[in-house]
Amino acid sequence: MRVCLYGTSGKVGAVLGPALEAAGHEVVDGRTSGPAGCDVAVDFTRPDAVLDNVVQCLSVAVPAVVGTTGFEIEEVDRRAREAGIPCFYAPNFALGAVLMMRFAEQASRAFTRAEIVELHAETKRDAPSGTAKATAARLGDDVPIHSVRLPGLVAHQEVIFGGSGETLTIRHDTTSRAVFAPGVLRAIGAVRNLPPGLTVGLEQLL
């Protein structure tokens, strides 16, 4: 496939571009070439850039896969539905992170109290992270979230459950952004078969 990649020079894009090419895809820079003539677009940029990038894709009937967090999900969904084009968004493309959220949801049935600690590189623009928000939503939305931004971190999250006489911690650590590539490859292969609008969550494709 011909893939339009927005954010080729970013921390994720710099790793993702070569991974897409290694998988046999042709990668073009979304900033310089645009999505016209592409089969799918992938966005790993900034929250304030996502809507414009997706609208550009929709204008030429190219489905978009979004990995940026902190953007206006409802507006992107509305635009995609109006255009009749499928788009996909995951707050985290790491399989382990998806399993962490699933296990946390299961644990919430046995524990009445939980808190989330998410830790990311100091360059991450949004806080709390999209993964933390998605986890909290699965636990009931009233779970406190603590955000840490420090140099040396990549992406980490733990969900701590407390009960009488015990605690349970479910933690996922991303030590390399290369871990996102398999999830993105799965998404670009599946997005065209999704319904119009924005489908959310890598678990929808597993």
Side-chain angles (χ1 to χ4, degrees):
M1 286 193 290
R2 193 164 193 253
V3 181
C4 172
L5 178 58
Y6 291 96
T8 54
S9 60
K11 291 183 181 297
V12 176
V15 174
L16 187 57
L20 290 169
E21 290 177 340
H25 300 294
E26 178 187 356
V27 178
V28 300
D29 189 331
R31 183 178 60 179
T32 58
S33 301
C38 292
D39 299 296
V40 65
V42 177
D43 182 292
F44 277 88
T45 56
R46 308 183 317 273
D48 60 345
V50 172
L51 181 58
D52 287 344
N53 292 340
V54 171
V55 168
Q56 190 179 43
C57 295
L58 297 177
S59 70
V60 290
V62 173
V65 171
V66 180
T68 308
T69 60
F71 68 96
E72 299 177 27
I73 293 177
E74 294 80 7
E75 182 63 14
V76 168
D77 180 47
R78 183 181 72 81
R79 298 290 189 98
R81 288 179 186 276
E82 289 178 351
I85 304 296
C87 291
F88 178 81
Y89 161 66
N92 199 313
F93 279 89
L95 177 60
V98 174
L99 293 174
M100 176 266 298
M101 288 188 280
R102 179 181 297 175
F103 297 155
E105 183 177 10
Q106 292 175 337
S108 70
R109 299 169 191 156
F111 290 86
T112 58
R113 294 282 304 281
E115 300 203 9
I116 297 170
V117 182
E118 57 96 354
L119 309 93
H120 284 81
E122 60 182 345
T123 53
K124 185 170 178 59
R125 295 173 181 266
D126 58 316
S129 69
T131 302
K133 289 179 180 179
T135 305
R138 295 178 71 157
L139 302 185
D141 276 324
D142 57 348
V143 178
I145 301 173
H146 309 275
S147 298
V148 178
R149 299 289 179 269
L150 288 172
L153 296 171
V154 179
H156 318 264
Q157 178 174 296
E158 58 183 22
V159 186
I160 307 171
F161 295 90
S164 178
E166 64 177 338
T167 62
L168 170 66
T169 300
I170 301 173
R171 179 176 175 116
H172 178 259
D173 294 284
T174 298
T175 57
S176 169
R177 293 175 178 86
V179 74
F180 301 136
V184 173
L185 287 167
R186 182 184 292 265
I188 65 174
V191 64
R192 286 188 171 276
N193 295 321
L194 296 175
L198 187 67
T199 298
V200 178
L202 189 62
E203 64 273 13
Q204 305 296 331
L205 307 181
L206 299 180

